[in-house]
Protein backbone atom coordinates (compact mmCIF):
# COMPACT_ATOMS: atom_id res chain seq x y z
CA UNK A 1 0.00 0.00 0.00
CA UNK A 2 1.42 3.37 -1.05
CA UNK A 3 1.88 6.10 1.55
CA UNK A 4 0.21 9.37 0.64
CA UNK A 5 0.68 12.87 2.05
CA UNK A 6 -2.12 14.00 4.34
CA UNK A 7 -4.19 17.07 3.57
CA UNK A 8 -3.91 20.06 5.93
CA UNK A 9 -7.36 19.48 7.40
CA UNK A 10 -6.58 15.87 8.26
CA UNK A 11 -3.25 16.87 9.82
CA UNK A 12 -5.07 19.42 12.02
CA UNK A 13 -7.67 16.82 13.07
CA UNK A 14 -5.01 14.26 13.94
CA UNK A 15 -2.93 16.83 15.83
CA UNK A 16 -5.96 17.62 17.99
CA UNK A 17 -5.68 14.04 19.29
CA UNK A 18 -1.99 14.48 20.21
CA UNK A 19 -1.58 17.24 22.82
CA UNK A 20 1.91 18.71 22.80
CA UNK A 21 2.55 17.86 19.15
CA UNK A 22 2.51 20.57 16.49
CA UNK A 23 3.22 21.15 12.84
CA UNK A 24 6.58 22.84 12.38
CA UNK A 25 6.82 23.65 8.69
CA UNK A 26 6.46 20.29 6.97
CA UNK A 27 7.18 18.17 10.06
CA UNK A 28 5.40 16.95 13.17
CA UNK A 29 7.27 18.16 16.24
CA UNK A 30 7.29 17.58 19.98
CA UNK A 31 9.64 18.35 22.84
CA UNK A 32 9.60 16.36 26.07
CA UNK A 33 11.08 17.41 29.40
CA UNK A 34 12.34 14.71 31.75
CA UNK A 35 13.66 14.70 35.32
CA UNK A 36 17.26 13.79 34.47
CA UNK A 37 19.64 13.34 31.59
CA UNK A 38 19.71 9.60 32.24
CA UNK A 39 15.89 9.41 31.96
CA UNK A 40 16.04 11.36 28.68
CA UNK A 41 18.72 9.03 27.34
CA UNK A 42 16.67 5.96 28.25
CA UNK A 43 13.66 7.39 26.46
CA UNK A 44 15.75 8.06 23.34
CA UNK A 45 16.77 4.38 23.30
CA UNK A 46 13.12 3.35 23.69
CA UNK A 47 12.07 5.66 20.83
CA UNK A 48 14.83 4.21 18.65
CA UNK A 49 13.47 0.71 19.30
CA UNK A 50 9.96 1.78 18.25
CA UNK A 51 11.36 3.44 15.12
CA UNK A 52 13.10 0.22 14.15
CA UNK A 53 9.86 -1.75 14.68
CA UNK A 54 7.96 0.70 12.45
CA UNK A 55 10.86 1.12 9.99
CA UNK A 56 10.13 4.84 10.22
CA UNK A 57 12.55 7.26 11.84
CA UNK A 58 12.40 10.75 13.28
CA UNK A 59 15.12 13.28 13.90
CA UNK A 60 15.88 13.07 17.62
CA UNK A 61 17.78 15.65 19.63
CA UNK A 62 18.91 14.77 23.14
CA UNK A 63 19.50 17.66 25.52
CA UNK A 64 20.40 17.67 29.19
CA UNK A 65 16.90 16.69 30.29
CA UNK A 66 14.96 17.16 27.05
CA UNK A 67 14.21 15.26 23.89
CA UNK A 68 13.06 16.97 20.71
CA UNK A 69 11.55 14.98 17.84
CA UNK A 70 10.62 16.03 14.35
CA UNK A 71 9.29 13.66 11.73
CA UNK A 72 7.99 13.59 8.19
CA UNK A 73 8.05 11.00 5.42
CA UNK A 74 10.99 11.30 3.06
CA UNK A 75 9.58 8.84 0.51
CA UNK A 76 6.78 11.29 -0.35
CA UNK A 77 8.95 14.37 -0.61
CA UNK A 78 9.07 15.22 3.08
CA UNK A 79 5.32 15.52 3.60
CA UNK A 80 3.39 14.43 6.69
CA UNK A 81 1.72 11.03 6.36
CA UNK A 82 -0.13 8.52 8.52
CA UNK A 83 3.26 6.90 9.25
CA UNK A 84 4.32 10.04 11.08
CA UNK A 85 1.22 9.98 13.23
CA UNK A 86 1.71 6.27 13.96
CA UNK A 87 5.18 7.05 15.29
CA UNK A 88 3.93 10.07 17.27
CA UNK A 89 1.20 7.99 18.93
CA UNK A 90 3.70 5.28 19.88
CA UNK A 91 6.06 7.85 21.39
CA UNK A 92 3.19 9.45 23.32
CA UNK A 93 2.26 6.03 24.69
CA UNK A 94 5.77 5.35 26.03
CA UNK A 95 6.50 8.86 27.35
CA UNK A 96 4.65 8.55 30.70
CA UNK A 97 6.67 5.45 31.58
CA UNK A 98 9.80 7.59 31.39
CA UNK A 99 8.29 10.46 33.39
CA UNK A 100 8.25 12.73 30.33
CA UNK A 101 6.04 15.79 30.16
Amino acid sequence: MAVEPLESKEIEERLAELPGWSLDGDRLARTYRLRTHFAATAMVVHIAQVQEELDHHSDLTLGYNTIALTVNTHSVGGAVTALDFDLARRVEALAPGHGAS
Side-chain angles (χ1 to χ4, degrees), residues 3-101:
V3 177
E4 297 292 327
L6 297 175
E7 298 293 327
S8 296
K9 186 176 187 323
E10 187 166 2
I11 291 170
E12 289 175 23
E13 290 170 356
R14 289 180 182 221
L15 278 173
E17 299 170 1
L18 286 169
W21 286 83
S22 63
L23 189 63
D24 183 10
D26 61 351
R27 305 172 72 80
L28 297 183
R30 172 80 153 97
T31 299
Y32 293 95
R33 183 164 304 280
L34 293 97
R35 289 182 295 260
T36 65
H37 181 69
F38 187 81
T41 302
M43 186 169 161
V44 166
V45 171
H46 199 166
I47 292 168
Q49 180 183 17
V50 168
Q51 291 178 143
E52 286 298 305
E53 290 171 11
L54 295 175
D55 192 26
H56 191 60
H57 302 84
S58 68
D59 289 334
L60 279 169
T61 303
L62 173 62
Y64 168 70
N65 64 345
T66 60
I67 299 169
L69 288 92
T70 60
V71 63
N72 62 10
T73 303
H74 300 286
S75 63
V76 294
V80 174
T81 69
L83 291 173
D84 304 311
F85 280 97
D86 291 345
L87 177 57
R89 279 191 294 278
R90 291 280 303 269
V91 172
E92 275 300 299
L94 67 84
H98 291 277
S101 59

